[in-house]
């Protein structure tokens, strides 16, 4: 029997709802989920992979442009070595298992973050997955691995400073567009909807430039329990928000133009 709240049903449920183009998610709560089930933390991360699969499929069915997932932050190296090892192994095996299905679904995979400290075998997998799916026109799936928003902005500043030192750009010409162009994914639209699972309400150095005007949605649901149903709820909440981007709602301006 098909799951009435599964990825297959989400497009019907959200028919007529204003959809975000780009959703960004901090997948938090794996460890606490595992603890609540009397299992080791790595069991929570493994269960988290099932949630990733379900949410990626749902986003694809909705025809969203992009989904960015925070898989490993530059601060996550502070975790016990065994947990870091399990996470790295999980990224590698998940990629091995899922890549061809994602490719068939037309997903374009991108990875952001500093790859240099990752194991060479994992780095190769990331490069190969990007190369294989580069021509796909479906969902853009961005996985942030060893990523930090401040790292990204510092790298962008270095790139721009080097170009200025070479005389390629005028420092006076460095504007918001130039910075955007020096970030990890210059062509991608900013996230419209940010979701954090697991009950915490902070950005944790995730896409701090790109989230400037995102609608924020926090849920206590731990990531392993998040799926198409919870994604639909988040999108419904998003569709009820009024986005003004610093402007004013036209109705409050009134007939006289609200001066
Ligand atoms: C945060 O939960 C979660 C992570 C640091 C890892 C996220 C990784 C996955 C969901 C696994 C697979 C991902 C991909 C893209 C293949 P936490 O451990 O901080 O939870 P806690 O706050 O309850 O301790």
């Amino acid at each position: 029997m098909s799951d009435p709240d599964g990825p297959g049903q989400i497009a019907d449920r959200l028919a007529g709802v204003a959809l975000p183009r780009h959703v960004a998610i901090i997948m938090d709560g794996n460890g606490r989920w595992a603890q609540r089930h009397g299992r080791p933390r790595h069991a929570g991360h493994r269960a988290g992979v099932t949630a990733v699969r379900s949410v990626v499929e749902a986003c694809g069915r909705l025809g969203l442009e992009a989904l960015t997932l925070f898989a490993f932050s530059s601060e996550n190296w502070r975790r016990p070595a065994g947990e870091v090892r399990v996470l790295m192994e999980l990224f590698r095996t998940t990629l091995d298992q899922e890549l061809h299905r994602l490719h068939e679904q037309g997903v374009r995979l991108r990875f952001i973050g500093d790859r240099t400290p990752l194991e060479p075998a994992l780095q190769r997998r990331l490069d190969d997955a990007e190369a294989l799916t580069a021509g796909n026109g479906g969902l853009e799936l961005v996985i942030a691995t060893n990523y930090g928003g401040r790292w990204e902005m510092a790298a962008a500043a270095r790139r721009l400073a080097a170009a200025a030192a070479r005389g390629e750009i005028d420092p006076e010409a460095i504007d918001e567009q130039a910075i955007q162009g020096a970030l990890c994914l210059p062509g991608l639209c900013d996230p419209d909807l940010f979701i954090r699972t697991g009950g915490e309400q902070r950005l944790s150095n995730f896409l701090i430039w790109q989230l400037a005007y995102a609608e924020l949605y926090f849920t206590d649901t731990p990531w392993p329990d998040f799926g198409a149903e919870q994604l639909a709820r988040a999108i419904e909440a998003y569709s009820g928000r009024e986005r003004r981007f610093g402007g004013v709602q036209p109705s409050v301006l009134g007939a006289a133009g609200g001066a």
Side-chain angles (χ1 to χ4, degrees):
M1 210 178 80
S2 70
D3 172 5
D5 295 318
Q9 279 65 38
I10 194 169
D12 291 340
R13 171 165 171 176
L14 294 178
V17 163
L19 297 177
R21 291 168 66 191
H22 182 177
V23 175
I25 308 184
I26 294 188
M27 310 178 287
D28 199 11
N30 292 352
R32 281 164 287 158
W33 179 92
Q35 202 174 17
R36 228 169 284 148
H37 288 77
R39 297 167 69 185
R41 288 180 61 81
H42 65 77
H45 298 315
R46 288 182 208 286
V49 174
T50 307
V52 169
R53 204 176 287 125
S54 168
V55 168
V56 169
E57 193 185 332
C59 288
R61 284 181 188 254
L62 286 171
L64 304 194
E65 281 180 40
L67 170 68
T68 299
L69 300 175
F70 205 1
F72 193 86
S73 80
S74 19
E75 291 76 36
N76 285 154
W77 296 105
R78 297 183 194 141
R79 294 183 175 219
E83 182 173 343
V84 171
R85 211 170 28 249
V86 166
L87 277 168
M88 294 298 156
E89 181 66 15
L90 207 52
F91 298 148
R92 195 176 58 70
T93 53
T94 305
L95 254 186
D96 287 351
Q97 285 160 9
E98 304 291 329
L99 181 59
H100 284 280
R101 199 153 54 96
L102 291 171
H103 186 40
E104 277 168 21
Q105 289 171 4
V107 171
R108 181 179 184 193
L109 263 162
R110 313 279 291 269
F111 299 91
I112 55 171
D114 181 6
R115 298 182 197 189
T116 47
L118 304 180
E119 294 245 328
L122 180 56
Q123 287 190 39
R124 262 197 311 279
R125 297 278 197 313
L126 306 191
D127 295 343
D128 292 350
E130 283 183 334
L132 178 71
T133 61
N136 289 345
L139 177 74
E140 190 137 340
L141 174 58
V142 181
I143 310 279
T145 310
N146 192 26
Y147 171 86
R150 290 182 175 180
W151 164 84
E152 180 182 26
M153 287 171 73
R158 273 196 304 278
R159 240 169 258 140
L160 291 168
R166 289 192 301 267
E168 292 165 9
I169 51 169
D170 175 1
E172 288 301 318
I174 297 177
D175 54 10
E176 291 182 17
Q177 218 178 335
I179 295 173
Q180 180 91 23
L183 295 173
C184 289
L185 296 168
L188 197 64
C189 60
D190 286 344
D192 306 292
L193 170 61
F194 163 86
I195 299 171
R196 182 172 187 146
T197 64
E200 308 290 356
Q201 302 199 355
R202 52 180 171 257
L203 295 183
S204 298
N205 199 17
F206 184 43
L207 300 176
I208 47 179
W209 173 277
Q210 297 89 335
L211 289 174
Y213 283 101
E215 295 297 325
L216 310 182
Y217 180 88
F218 299 99
T219 170
D220 289 338
T221 303
W223 178 250
D225 289 338
F226 196 89
E229 160 65 18
Q230 290 74 17
L231 178 68
R233 276 191 224 161
I235 292 178
E236 281 163 352
Y238 163 84
S239 73
R241 306 266 179 96
E242 186 197 311
R243 303 188 76 196
R244 293 196 294 274
F245 300 96
V248 184
Q249 189 190 0
S251 61
V252 302
L253 289 175

